[in-house]
Amino acid sequence: MGEHVGEQEQHGLIVARAQPEPFMRAVRKLVRDGTYLKLARGVYIPRADYTSQPPWEQHRLRALALGTSGIRIIGGRSAALLWGMWTLVDKNSPVEYYVARGRKDTTCSGRKLTGRLSTKDYVQGQHVAVTNIAQTALDLARFHGFEDCFMSVCWALKHRSDATEELHRAATRSPMLAQCLQLADPHLDSAAEAYFLAQVRHEGLVDLAPQVELIDARGVLRRVDFYVRGTRIVIEISGLGKYGDTEDKQRFSVEKATNRLDALVTAGYRVWAYSAKQAFSGYAYRDVLRRLQLHHKKIKRCSYALCYFCELGFYGRALP
């Protein structure tokens, strides 16, 4: 862009108000050429930098772009994503937000959430305002239902114990959030496990203990994802996050996990293993009920093939 060099924010976005005008003229020309994308009014990013990102990261960038105006407070699933909470998004998920009190939003970008927020319901990050953890859980209960709320509460209990008191205060305003707090478990390792347990706890048909240690055929204590109480049945939910982010790490971890399960089978346990995709589709839960010969209602299917963001283990991201 010649001598007029601008600066990108840490998250890779170019915010017009922070750049010299000659630089922005060059950026707008590149938008017309298709080299750059306009994510929101006055917010741009190189097209290649955006399209090369996975769906959850694209959503995060769009949420940051919409939030930079100061008009919007990011909420719902978008806020959960910015916090690093276990949540469900795909490339088509709209950015969810509230309009700040006293401000007007004339755009039609994203999903505008209804309701009023007090200053205690959100925090101002370096770049955007985001609903706090308790309000985010309330939003998930209100706008998305039990599974979403349950996943967020499990994440908060595991990764942000400092938010527990705040969650309990918020639960006085939402019976669903109160139920999730009562049923959630702080020991789960992934979003897929949390989604599976949400279905189990919501219907109450299976007496399941998460993260139990069992003795295998070699006398070694082995921790399993779930154990069906009163049986010798073990349920394992696999996911990319468990096996590492490189091929070598994944190969080593999968081999180790296979040996662990073989030792449990030798000790007389029955291992029912499912993928993260099977957990999110509802198949894993339906299959468990079928195998246990339990009557069950129609199971809600998650419309997301995979919760990619959560499965890769991006926990506790600092506020943008």
Side-chain angles (χ1 to χ4, degrees), residues 40-53:
R41 184 176 181 180
V43 185
Y44 307 86
I45 190 171
R47 179 182 292 273
D49 290 354
Y50 181 80
T51 57
S52 63
Q53 300 297 327

Side-chain angles (χ1 to χ4, degrees), residues 1 4-28 30-31 35-47 49 61 64-66 68 127:
M1 295 185 194
H4 304 294
V5 179
E7 294 183 2
Q8 288 184 309
E9 300 285 352
Q10 260 190 328
H11 40 66
L13 301 177
I14 295 173
V15 182
R17 66 172 179 266
Q19 310 296 338
E21 180 54 30
F23 174 76
M24 288 313 304
R25 282 199 297 269
V27 168
R28 285 189 282 269
L30 290 172
V31 170
T35 307
Y36 271 58
L37 289 174
K38 180 180 178 180
L39 293 187
R41 184 176 181 180
V43 185
Y44 307 86
I45 190 171
R47 179 182 292 273
D49 290 354
L61 290 168
L64 288 169
L66 278 178
T68 56
H127 304 290

Side-chain angles (χ1 to χ4, degrees), residues 240 243-254:
L240 181 60
Y243 299 132
D245 53 6
T246 67
E247 186 176 348
D248 288 341
K249 287 182 180 178
Q250 289 173 17
R251 187 182 299 110
F252 172 78
S253 297
V254 168

Side-chain angles (χ1 to χ4, degrees), residues 34-299:
T35 307
Y36 271 58
L37 289 174
K38 180 180 178 180
L39 293 187
R41 184 176 181 180
V43 185
Y44 307 86
I45 190 171
R47 179 182 292 273
D49 290 354
Y50 181 80
T51 57
S52 63
Q53 300 297 327
W56 70 88
E57 185 63 19
Q58 291 183 7
H59 187 102
R60 188 181 77 88
L61 290 168
R62 288 188 286 117
L64 288 169
L66 278 178
T68 56
S69 66
I71 295 173
R72 305 174 190 89
I73 300 166
I74 305 301
R77 282 175 170 166
S78 302
L81 191 64
L82 292 180
W83 279 108
M85 301 166 83
W86 292 332
T87 189
L88 300 164
V89 295
D90 69 6
K91 63 181 180 180
N92 297 316
S93 299
V95 174
E96 299 179 352
Y97 64 91
Y98 290 91
V99 177
R101 186 173 296 183
R103 307 298 294 272
K104 290 185 178 180
D105 179 27
T106 58
T107 69
C108 298
S109 300
R111 178 186 181 187
K112 190 184 301 182
L113 303 179
T114 58
R116 289 188 175 184
L117 298 178
S118 73
T119 55
K120 295 180 180 179
D121 295 329
Y122 65 92
V123 295
Q124 180 66 55
Q126 183 180 354
H127 304 290
V128 299
V130 186
T131 52
N132 62 32
I133 288 174
Q135 181 62 43
T136 300
L138 278 172
D139 286 350
L140 294 173
R142 181 182 175 195
F143 298 110
H144 296 289
F146 182 86
E147 285 84 359
D148 282 78
C149 183
F150 184 91
M151 289 170 66
S152 71
V153 170
C154 287
W155 175 90
L157 295 179
K158 182 180 182 70
H159 298 285
R160 290 297 300 268
S161 58
D162 58 312
T164 303
E165 185 177 343
E166 188 179 65
L167 282 166
H168 280 283
R169 284 198 301 268
T172 61
R173 299 153 53 192
S174 168
M176 182 177 290
L177 176 54
Q179 183 185 23
C180 287
L181 275 168
Q182 182 181 2
L183 298 176
D185 191 282
H187 303 107
L188 303 181
D189 289 334
S190 72
E193 289 179 20
Y195 191 85
F196 175 75
L197 187 61
Q199 296 174 91
V200 171
R201 294 275 167 91
H202 197 199
E203 294 203 331
L205 298 177
V206 184
D207 190 7
L208 212 60
Q211 303 299 320
V212 173
E213 288 189 331
L214 302 174
I215 300 176
D216 69 10
R218 303 166 190 164
V220 178
L221 276 176
R222 304 285 188 180
R223 192 178 71 163
V224 300
D225 291 343
F226 300 101
Y227 171 68
V228 182
R229 291 189 179 95
T231 72
R232 294 186 69 81
I233 297 170
V234 167
I235 298 172
E236 288 283 296
I237 307 292
S238 65
L240 181 60
K242 290 187 178 182
Y243 299 132
D245 53 6
T246 67
E247 186 176 348
D248 288 341
K249 287 182 180 178
Q250 289 173 17
R251 187 182 299 110
F252 172 78
S253 297
V254 168
E255 183 178 347
K256 185 177 178 182
T258 301
N259 292 337
R260 179 176 66 89
L261 295 181
D262 286 346
L264 287 170
V265 170
T266 303
Y269 291 98
R270 297 165 63 191
V271 179
W272 297 349
Y274 302 97
S275 68
K277 185 174 181 178
Q278 289 173 323
F280 284 118
S281 71
Y283 171 82
Y285 180 51
R286 291 194 303 272
D287 191 61
V288 167
L289 295 181
R290 179 189 63 79
R291 289 182 173 191
L292 293 174
Q293 298 183 338
L294 294 172
H295 171 73
H296 60 286
K297 297 176 282 186
K298 183 178 179 181
I299 305 303

